[in-house]
Amino acid sequence: MKYTALKGVHDIFPPDIHIWQKVESVAKDVFTAYGFQELRAPVIESTDIFIRSIGETTDIVEKEMYTFTDKAGRHITLRPEGTAPVVRCFVEQHLYNLPSPQKFLYSGPMFRYERPQAGRFRQFYQIGAEAFGVAEPKIDAEILSMLKLFFERLGLKELNFEINSIGCPKCRPDYRKALLDFFSDRLEGFCPDCRRRYDQNPLRILDCKVAECIKLREGSPHVTNFLCTECREHFEALQSYAELLAIPYAINPEMVRGLDYYTRTTFEVTCKHLGSQNAVAAGGRYDLLVEDFGGPPTPAIGFAIGMERITSLLKLSADQDIPSPKVFIAALGESAGREGLVIAVRLRLKGLWAEIGYAGNSLKSQLRRADRLSAQYVFIIGDDEIRSGKVKWKLLSDGSQGEIGFNEIDTFLAVPPKA
RNA sequence: GUGGGUGUAGCUCAAUGGUCAGAGCACUGGACUGUGGCUCCGGUGGUUGGGGGUUCGAGUCCCCUCACUCACCCCA
């Protein structure tokens, strides 16, 4: 094959595209009901926007960004995630001057240079939402409830909602220190990755899947025991609101985040049917990021849904409704073909999906094609029908057929079939 | 970046180192002049991912390379 798509990217086309469209429309409906409006930010931004927000020492920034210089030497990066561009827009466009809160949804491709595997791609799609201006934990719970509704509408089950609080710049250093103290005397037993994490990002040790490390970290301090008063109250209030809204969450004090900007609430929705990349949605609070970008102090919270992971789950479960034509017009001969073409265009004018057969195909093959397309009706037009001014109709589901005049077609199709 | 697995028809897969690389599905034509699905018969479709090597002989063995895939790292 001479021309192929790049590694880690993929084409989306029928029949899968119908699942994608379904997910997008459900998200838009549900998020709209929660007061979110669409915001479309560019796919490219200045590189420093991502370095500043995601964090200089994160994997994303250190080795996963698609970065290049344009013809004027500007440093440009294809967005690896959606929050930073939205925050940049929020500040640059002074959206904080609009009535608070401001709530936005977005969707589109993200780019990360990684080795692809199940559920992980170099160009991948996210649907995300960001809410600005509310410090109250009520909105944290609302966002969880919005996700719950979204998944319910899609018929997705067996999902786990996990929440955590990673504190704020006031309390997190205490926790970090406690963690370092706890690990320091047993560091030798940990895997090489964890020993590296000890220096770079000790919270990540909590995430390690190596059996030895899991055993060694038993009894390690929990972040939730180190929260300052404000963070603890926020987290407790979130839990009570989540219970009020019947969100079946679990607290996972070992859940950590790969982006530096998170504060307090973090959450993840996972599904065990996904393989090792099992998060279908994840997000959290980032109360300091807007200020970091030069805006006024503005608490905020957001999340992103991984489209590929959702659609792969739907492909497992779903009875997919693939759209099919209302009418297939099978014509035999040139003059019947002309008549069929005119009828098809007239039906399309009314918004009905009409397909026609083309020259050189026998009636049998046209019917076969109609059957493959799952057309509801076939209209058969030949010399006889042209002479009599009628079309023969056939209902494919039960094989019944009859005749109607050319001018009766519209009313005929308006009446639902008995089958 | 690291490690494993797999590359044969559009798809899913056969073929002990030995005739002309096969089957099912799909597509297409016919059995049935103008009636789909079911059945039967025929047809189209291949650089066996690419390159090199071993051999009388390679889809099969070896090396290189590319792609896909799963996992690690990390993450949606």
Side-chain angles (χ1 to χ4, degrees), chain A residues 329 336-348 356:
Chain A
I329 298 171
R338 293 171 67 86
E339 189 64 42
L341 185 58
V342 169
I343 292 171
V345 169
R346 214 172 71 220
L347 294 175
R348 290 160 179 169
I356 61 172

Side-chain angles (χ1 to χ4, degrees), chain A residues 173-276:
Chain A
D174 292 342
Y175 175 59
R176 191 188 144 95
K177 186 172 181 309
L179 214 50
L180 290 175
D181 288 348
F182 179 84
F183 289 135
S184 61
D185 61 327
R186 62 190 81 187
L187 201 55
E188 297 309 309
F190 280 97
C191 70
D193 281 330
C194 279
R195 291 205 291 275
R196 177 175 55 79
R197 291 180 181 116
Y198 182 83
D199 295 317
Q200 289 184 354
N201 193 344
L203 272 65
R204 288 230 160 271
I205 297 177
L206 301 174
D207 213 24
C208 185
K209 296 174 189 89
V210 176
E212 288 303 300
C213 302
I214 292 173
K215 196 175 294 176
L216 279 169
R217 70 171 183 251
E218 261 173 39
S220 63
H222 280 179
V223 62
T224 43
N225 293 329
F226 285 79
L227 298 177
C228 63
T229 310
E230 291 81 5
C231 286
R232 199 185 62 243
E233 283 173 0
H234 184 97
F235 193 43
E236 283 165 1
L238 162 60
Q239 292 168 54
S240 97
Y241 289 130
E243 277 150 31
L244 179 68
L245 297 176
I247 295 156
Y249 70 91
I251 296 174
N252 178 359
E254 300 191 334
M255 184 170 68
V256 291
R257 304 271 69 188
L259 292 72
D260 282 356
Y261 55 63
Y262 285 112
T263 54
R264 292 191 171 169
T265 309
T266 60
F267 57 89
E268 244 175 59
V269 184
T270 59
C271 180
K272 64 183 173 187
H273 299 296
L274 270 179
S276 86

Side-chain angles (χ1 to χ4, degrees), chain A residues 72-307:
Chain A
R74 302 179 187 94
H75 295 281
I76 289 174
T77 293
L78 273 63
R79 62 180 182 196
E81 59 103 31
T83 298
V86 172
V87 171
R88 190 230 80 225
C89 168
F90 182 80
V91 173
E92 181 179 350
Q93 307 299 335
H94 311 291
L95 300 181
Y96 46 78
N97 286 331
L98 295 170
S100 180
Q102 287 290 311
K103 298 185 274 193
F104 302 104
L105 73 93
Y106 63 86
S107 68
M110 307 292 160
F111 305 85
R112 290 184 202 171
Y113 191 85
E114 303 178 272
R115 280 287 284 270
Q117 70 185 75
R120 200 178 69 184
F121 309 94
R122 290 184 172 178
Q123 175 173 339
F124 59 102
Y125 293 78
Q126 290 186 336
I127 298 177
E130 315 287 348
F132 295 94
V134 183
E136 267 188 83
K138 215 175 265 171
I139 202 165
D140 304 33
E142 278 186 284
I143 280 194
L144 291 174
S145 122
M146 183 165 91
L147 276 169
K148 177 174 172 250
L149 179 59
F150 167 75
F151 290 120
E152 279 171 1
R153 283 279 175 82
L154 287 173
L156 287 175
K157 300 194 170 66
E158 299 187 272
L159 299 173
N160 306 303
F161 284 71
E162 295 182 358
I163 65 170
N164 192 22
S165 175
I166 58 169
C168 65
K170 211 161 76 187
C171 48
R172 208 179 315 163
D174 292 342
Y175 175 59
R176 191 188 144 95
K177 186 172 181 309
L179 214 50
L180 290 175
D181 288 348
F182 179 84
F183 289 135
S184 61
D185 61 327
R186 62 190 81 187
L187 201 55
E188 297 309 309
F190 280 97
C191 70
D193 281 330
C194 279
R195 291 205 291 275
R196 177 175 55 79
R197 291 180 181 116
Y198 182 83
D199 295 317
Q200 289 184 354
N201 193 344
L203 272 65
R204 288 230 160 271
I205 297 177
L206 301 174
D207 213 24
C208 185
K209 296 174 189 89
V210 176
E212 288 303 300
C213 302
I214 292 173
K215 196 175 294 176
L216 279 169
R217 70 171 183 251
E218 261 173 39
S220 63
H222 280 179
V223 62
T224 43
N225 293 329
F226 285 79
L227 298 177
C228 63
T229 310
E230 291 81 5
C231 286
R232 199 185 62 243
E233 283 173 0
H234 184 97
F235 193 43
E236 283 165 1
L238 162 60
Q239 292 168 54
S240 97
Y241 289 130
E243 277 150 31
L244 179 68
L245 297 176
I247 295 156
Y249 70 91
I251 296 174
N252 178 359
E254 300 191 334
M255 184 170 68
V256 291
R257 304 271 69 188
L259 292 72
D260 282 356
Y261 55 63
Y262 285 112
T263 54
R264 292 191 171 169
T265 309
T266 60
F267 57 89
E268 244 175 59
V269 184
T270 59
C271 180
K272 64 183 173 187
H273 299 296
L274 270 179
S276 86
Q277 311 302 319
N278 64 352
V280 293
R285 203 164 251 292
Y286 48 95
D287 288 339
L288 305 169
L289 190 57
V290 172
E291 206 174 344
D292 256 18
F293 269 61
T298 307
I301 180 168
F303 66 85
I305 297 166
M307 278 292 283

